[in-house]
Amino acid sequence: MAQWTSAVGAGQLARLLGSQQDRPAGPGTRRPPAYRALADGIRLLVLEGRVPVAARLPAERELALALTVSRTTVAAAYEALRAEGFLESRRGAGSWTAVPAGNPLPARGLEPLPPEALGSVIDLGCAALPAPEPWLTRAVQGALEELPPYAHTHGDYPAGLPALRAMIAERYTARGIPTMPEQIMVTTGAMGAIDAICHLFGGRGERIAVESPSYANILQLMREAGARLVPVAMAEGLTGWDVDRWRQVLRESAPRIAYVVADFHNPTGALADEDQRRRLVDAARSAGTVLVADETMSELWLDDGVEMPRPVCAFDPAGSTVVTVGSASKAFWAGMRIGWVRAAPDVIRSLVAARAYADLGTPVLEQLAVNWLFSTGGWEQAVQVRREQARRNRDELVAAVRRELPGWEFEVPRGGLTLWVRTGGLSGSRLAEAGERVGVRVPSGPRFGVDGAFEGYVRLPFTVGDAVAEEAATRLAAAARLVENGAAGGGEAPRTFVA
């Protein structure tokens, strides 16, 4: 019986390997043999989760043709990977990826660092801040006071607690978007919302248009759902979307869904203006595409004078095109797993009906806590504290990176939680691996792209400040030196890896 559970084609693997571009070697720097470079490239793809564990690799001859190298080079690379524990083979079954004994399985998204590693590793992988106190404690206490009547019920509310649905609807109405509670479904975080939307509209094999780059965890969720991702490049800098390109993709590819983050885009921090929003909604309507607007960052403007455009759904008054997703997890706390969907009532009814075969509903106590925050003004106070903290962290991280890594390029966004950084020609994948060695965890650019794009980037979140931001930049500089000197990506694999 074969030990592999998926397969990677020769062309796909060649594209992924081709994205790993390093800075040209300096004087006196010895390049590794071709087989060693190939083995290191495949190992990096496995460690980052971009090639799954237990994925069948192409036959030696197929990969050699795709890479235009000799079969001997591929055979030697496979043998090196077998010796290091990253490849297993059996006659008649082929070769498939593995990880050495004792190494954790790499994740394909951006999971938080385990608590036991927090003392030795600076975590720049997860764009989330600690809970804003005392508002978290007060919200939980308020929820407990409201709990007794609900405890006498079955506790299953597939559409969400009526009180919270009404409160969320009122908040949209206050923003100038008339909304009824029947247009709201409460979910388990934004991820739960988008998962439900993808299963309702997407289906296995359906095309989904996504920004390029886009949020890594959402991209992986869509891949796991069997979607065919259609990337659409962002406009230059922080100017939002290239709507003409979007219109062309929607017209030619006819994707069932388009997923966008218009408010302080993750990872670039771009903010789409009203004209871009209007034109994109028009393009989606013309193409018959469901436009999923992720608003999870919409309240995280950080600079004075930022004028927030109207929500994307404001340009779809009939509610036939735009499905909006919101969440408490970014603006308040990632541990508060409450999200919501705003859509036409018939869409909400379909989502709720499908939920019977998924998670049935969202925890009641957390819904009551969010409702307490919304109804008492605690939300606004907590989010204001969150903005001040994120602004301070952003400014301190930006100053530290500019000082320690002057060759790295980025634009400073006016909101959100992330900095999208061009790494001066260094491989983001190799920087991520080298960072593990020196005690800083950073996600590489290809996690946010499709088929190996953005190898020359990393994402840095505004989650650390003060001395920790200084130390993070120092460790990143040390990782960059390892990559420049050829010490990353070759030889012995690191002892641990956290995706």
Side-chain angles (χ1 to χ4, degrees):
M1 180 179 176
Q3 300 299 306
W4 49 273
T5 57
S6 62
V8 180
Q12 179 188 6
L13 185 56
R15 289 192 299 273
L16 291 170
L17 290 165
S19 71
Q20 296 175 336
Q21 299 297 323
D22 287 319
R23 176 178 293 174
T29 301
R30 291 172 49 189
R31 287 193 175 277
Y35 85 89
R36 181 70 261 174
L38 175 56
D40 291 343
I42 295 174
R43 180 169 58 85
L44 276 173
L45 293 173
V46 173
L47 286 174
E48 282 214 314
R50 289 193 282 144
V51 168
V53 174
R56 187 179 187 274
L57 295 187
E60 294 170 2
R61 187 184 303 277
E62 293 175 2
L63 186 57
L65 287 171
L67 296 174
T68 62
V69 299
S70 71
R71 182 177 177 181
T72 302
T73 296
V74 177
Y78 278 14
E79 182 58 37
L81 289 168
R82 277 189 287 269
E84 295 165 5
F86 286 92
L87 196 68
E88 296 180 10
S89 304
R90 192 171 69 240
R91 186 179 298 277
S95 298
W96 57 91
T97 56
V99 293
N103 279 41
L105 287 174
R108 304 190 74 182
L110 299 176
E111 287 74 17
L113 193 67
E116 61 270 18
L118 290 175
S120 58
V121 178
I122 298 174
D123 186 10
L124 297 181
C126 186
L129 292 162
E133 288 288 23
W135 289 276
L136 175 62
T137 299
R138 291 176 180 172
V140 173
Q141 290 171 342
L144 287 171
E145 293 175 2
E146 299 291 332
L147 183 61
Y150 295 94
H152 293 292
T153 73
H154 50 65
D156 285 337
Y157 296 89
L161 294 184
L164 181 56
R165 295 176 72 195
M167 182 61 67
I168 294 171
E170 287 179 17
R171 291 173 64 83
Y172 276 106
T173 300
R175 295 168 66 189
I177 316 296
T179 302
M180 303 179 295
E182 292 79 9
Q183 291 178 262
I184 303 295
M185 181 177 84
V186 180
T187 62
T188 307
M191 292 288 287
I194 293 170
D195 182 58
I197 293 165
C198 286
H199 280 88
L200 178 64
F201 291 109
R204 185 164 294 275
E206 291 280 4
R207 293 185 180 91
I208 300 181
V210 294
E211 295 148 327
S212 183
S214 187
Y215 179 37
N217 284 345
I218 294 296
L219 294 180
Q220 190 55 34
L221 181 154
M222 293 173 175
R223 292 187 186 102
E224 297 290 345
R228 298 162 61 189
L229 301 183
V230 181
V232 186
M234 297 285 289
E236 288 298 319
L238 299 179
T239 56
W241 302 323
D242 183 336
V243 182
D244 290 337
R245 188 174 296 168
W246 269 100
R247 187 177 296 277
Q248 179 183 0
V249 168
L250 295 180
R251 183 177 62 248
E252 295 178 355
S253 298
R256 188 71 182 91
I257 299 172
Y259 168 77
V260 296
V261 185
D263 302 293
F264 308 118
H265 174 261
N266 185 353
T268 68
L271 177 64
D273 62 32
E274 287 208 2
D275 182 61
Q276 291 172 327
R277 296 169 191 237
R278 180 185 295 106
R279 292 171 60 205
L280 185 60
V281 171
D282 289 343
R285 184 182 297 114
S286 297
T289 297
V290 176
L291 182 60
V292 179
D294 184 333
E295 288 190 335
T296 53
M297 296 282 190
S298 64
E299 296 190 64
L300 290 176
W301 63 87
L302 304 183
D303 293 339
D304 295 333
V306 175
E307 293 187 13
M308 291 300 297
R310 284 180 290 169
V312 176
C313 59
F315 304 100
D316 181 39
S320 60
T321 299
V322 178
V323 175
T324 302
V325 172
S327 172
S329 299
K330 291 298 184 185
F332 186 75
W333 183 46
M336 188 68 78
R337 303 304 305 159
I338 298 294
W340 52 86
V341 178
R342 181 198 180 275
D346 61 317
V347 172
I348 295 298
R349 286 193 294 271
S350 297
L351 289 170
V352 171
R355 199 168 193 181
Y357 309 101
D359 62 356
L360 293 179
T362 302
V364 169
L365 190 63
E366 292 185 30
Q367 293 187 71
L368 290 172
V370 172
N371 193 56
W372 184 92
L373 288 165
F374 285 158
S375 61
T376 63
W379 176 269
E380 284 71 22
Q381 297 175 57
V383 171
Q384 180 58 35
V385 170
R386 172 67 80 237
R387 292 190 195 108
E388 293 169 358
Q389 184 181 13
R391 182 190 308 117
R392 184 170 58 252
N393 286 355
R394 179 198 63 183
D395 295 345
E396 291 168 350
L397 184 64
V398 163
V401 171
R402 282 177 170 164
R403 181 173 56 255
E404 296 292 334
L405 293 150
W408 288 17
E409 302 172 22
F410 52 85
E411 292 187 56
V412 181
R414 304 187 68 189
L417 289 172
T418 57
L419 196 66
W420 186 236
V421 182
R422 192 191 303 267
T423 57
L426 298 181
S427 160
S429 298
R430 300 192 193 284
L431 279 166
E433 183 187 17
E436 296 289 338
R437 302 184 181 194
V438 299
V440 60
R441 178 176 179 255
V442 58
S444 67
R447 286 189 175 277
F448 304 88
V450 177
D451 252 0
F454 307 109
E455 185 61 59
Y457 290 81
V458 294
R459 189 195 73 172
L460 304 180
F462 315 143
T463 53
V464 297
D466 300 324
V468 182
E470 299 275 349
E471 180 62 22
T474 299
R475 295 185 187 186
L476 283 172
R481 287 192 293 272
L482 285 176
V483 175
E484 287 176 323
N485 295 331
E492 184 180 347
R495 287 178 292 134
T496 60
F497 180 83
V498 182

